Amino acid sequence: MSSTPLRHTALDAAHRALGATMTDFAGWDMPLRYGSERDEHTAVRTRAGLFDLSHMGEITVTGPAAAALLDHALVGNIGTVTPGRARYTMICREDGGILDDLIVYRLAETEYLVVANASNAQVVLDALTERAAGFDAEVRDDRDAYALLAVQGPESAGILKGLTDAGLDGLKYYAGLPGTVAGVPALIARTGYTGEDGFELFVAPDGAARLWQALTEAGAAAGLVPCGLSCRDTLRLEAGMPLYGHELSTALTPFDAGLGRVVKFEKEGDFVGRAALEQAAVRARDNPPRVLVGLVAEGRRVPRAGYAVVADGQVIGEVTSGAPSPTLGKPIAMAYVDAAHAAPGTAGVGVDIRGSHEPYEVVALPFYRRQK
């Protein structure tokens, strides 16, 4: 057991006042659910949900060589991101293993905001700091400078429009702009991790409680509810979005994870892991690794991470994430399986659930795609 006390977000009092069930997540005391996680999930799919994501790791990179540093440190072509836009990318080890997946926002010509997963924030900070040697750029730990709220769901834009003068209609997916929301200065981003339209609001911690209250009041008529990490996980699972520690790890390269598209070999200069990733790309082409697929249960038993995927009595893969799907009404899972069994509709595939081989249908990801 760790003796380190849990960290609390600026919204801790609000969560407790709402009767949230709290949990330790990456050293943070975070709301798991407020009531029914199924109801929270459904609210995001049909109306809107309000999340506290202040556990995420914000790292600011500034200076004349900020773009060059990030192009060296990360696998993406960050220098081509225009101010106001964002990019999904990864930071890898020299051997190509994934240290974390990231969203990088270009805030200005020489200023970037790197957002890391909570569990990897220190690892990413340390790696960027080490890789900054020789670059005219500064890497700054800004985890304490931000609280992060997210409004997700089909009603999210309408709720937010009533609280801000920022031009939300012109804000594209994977973009961000400065503005005020309910009088609180914010970086307003449009990314999301639920499969729905939605917004992330990066604010100073001392404005978080006021913003939470304003969003709660503004969203009441639209059916907005507070949402915890539990429904966030089922939402991202339905949307086929990877979670570090499940679909992504240092044991996998982006090519092993089916995300080789984020690796940009065409960018100028060397980058950490390039040689290993070039080899991984060749391996993936000539000898396809296991493929990340969706599995939908024919029965009611729920698969969990680590369960074996089987066919003809042989282990052909492993479940990485599994849960009941409120939207599909059936248990679902993501799993890495041998390429020979990866095609949607492949017959005879099951999951070993405590010794019983439960039948599952192989489907293409994502399980759920919102109507535009």
Side-chain angles (χ1 to χ4, degrees):
M1 292 286 289
S2 171
S3 59
T4 307
L6 292 178
R7 299 183 69 181
H8 298 274
T9 78
L11 294 165
D12 186 68
H15 302 320
R16 294 178 192 282
L18 288 165
T21 299
M22 306 296 285
T23 189
D24 175 358
F25 187 85
W28 290 83
D29 202 16
M30 297 296 293
L32 188 64
R33 69 181 71 82
Y34 298 86
S36 158
E37 56 201 53
R38 176 179 288 271
D39 290 348
E40 293 171 24
H41 179 111
T42 302
V44 175
R45 285 278 177 259
T46 59
R47 303 184 305 278
L50 177 60
F51 295 83
D52 178 11
L53 305 179
S54 302
H55 60 312
M56 300 294 281
E58 295 88 4
I59 301 163
T60 302
V61 180
T62 56
L69 163 59
L70 290 171
D71 276 340
H72 165 71
L74 311 180
V75 302
N77 197 346
I78 307 303
T80 62
V81 179
T82 54
R85 298 306 301 267
R87 184 156 295 166
Y88 176 78
T89 187
M90 294 183 182
I91 182 167
C92 290
R93 301 193 307 193
E94 197 68 69
D95 67 1
I98 302 167
L99 283 172
D100 200 13
D101 61 336
L102 312 165
I103 296 179
V104 179
Y105 298 90
R106 189 168 195 168
L107 303 182
E109 194 62 35
T110 60
E111 183 180 6
Y112 295 82
L113 180 65
V114 178
V115 182
N117 286 297
S119 56
N120 295 329
Q122 190 64 47
V123 169
V124 174
L125 176 67
D126 291 345
L128 287 175
T129 302
E130 181 183 325
R131 295 173 190 187
F135 288 92
D136 187 7
E138 178 193 356
V139 176
R140 186 172 72 237
D141 180 0
D142 269 350
R143 284 175 287 181
D144 291 336
Y146 289 104
L148 176 57
L149 285 67
V151 187
Q152 294 280 307
E155 300 290 338
S156 57
I159 293 167
L160 212 52
K161 279 179 185 175
L163 295 174
T164 183
D165 54 1
L168 297 187
D169 288 340
L171 186 62
K172 295 185 172 71
Y173 188 52
Y174 265 72
L177 83 170
T180 59
V181 183
V184 178
L187 169 65
I188 305 167
R190 195 173 204 162
T191 57
Y193 190 59
T194 63
E196 299 298 337
D197 188 20
F199 301 85
E200 291 72 46
L201 307 171
F202 294 86
V203 301
D206 61 7
R210 180 156 51 111
L211 183 54
W212 180 275
Q213 185 61 32
L215 288 164
T216 298
E217 292 171 1
L224 174 139
V225 301
C227 293
L229 293 180
S230 186
C231 84
R232 182 170 160 86
D233 191 48
T234 53
L235 289 159
R236 71 93 196 166
L237 176 56
E238 287 183 351
M241 294 178 172
L243 175 64
Y244 196 89
H246 289 255
E247 288 73 40
L248 309 174
S249 72
T250 52
L252 298 170
T253 72
F255 294 95
D256 297 322
L259 292 166
R261 64 181 181 276
V262 306
V263 181
K264 304 301 182 185
F265 293 121
E266 68 274 15
K267 64 180 175 177
E268 289 183 22
D270 196 15
F271 62 90
V272 177
R274 178 192 272 274
L277 289 168
E278 286 174 341
Q279 293 175 357
V282 172
R283 277 199 310 274
R285 185 190 68 216
D286 297 344
N287 182 25
R290 284 181 165 174
V291 179
L292 189 64
V293 301
L295 299 174
V296 177
E298 295 181 18
R300 309 303 307 169
R301 299 188 71 184
V302 179
R304 299 297 183 189
Y307 286 10
V309 182
V310 294
D312 301 321
Q314 301 296 312
V315 174
I316 59 154
E318 185 176 300
V319 171
T320 53
S321 297
S325 165
T327 304
L328 275 64
K330 299 176 180 179
I332 60 172
M334 287 198 282
Y336 283 109
V337 302
D338 294 344
H341 294 85
T346 300
V349 173
V351 175
D352 186 338
I353 300 181
R354 299 187 184 89
S356 174
H357 291 185
E358 300 289 328
Y360 275 74
E361 179 188 358
V362 179
V363 300
L365 292 169
F367 300 97
Y368 167 85
R369 186 176 271 111
R370 72 182 170 98
Q371 301 300 309
K372 301 287 186 181

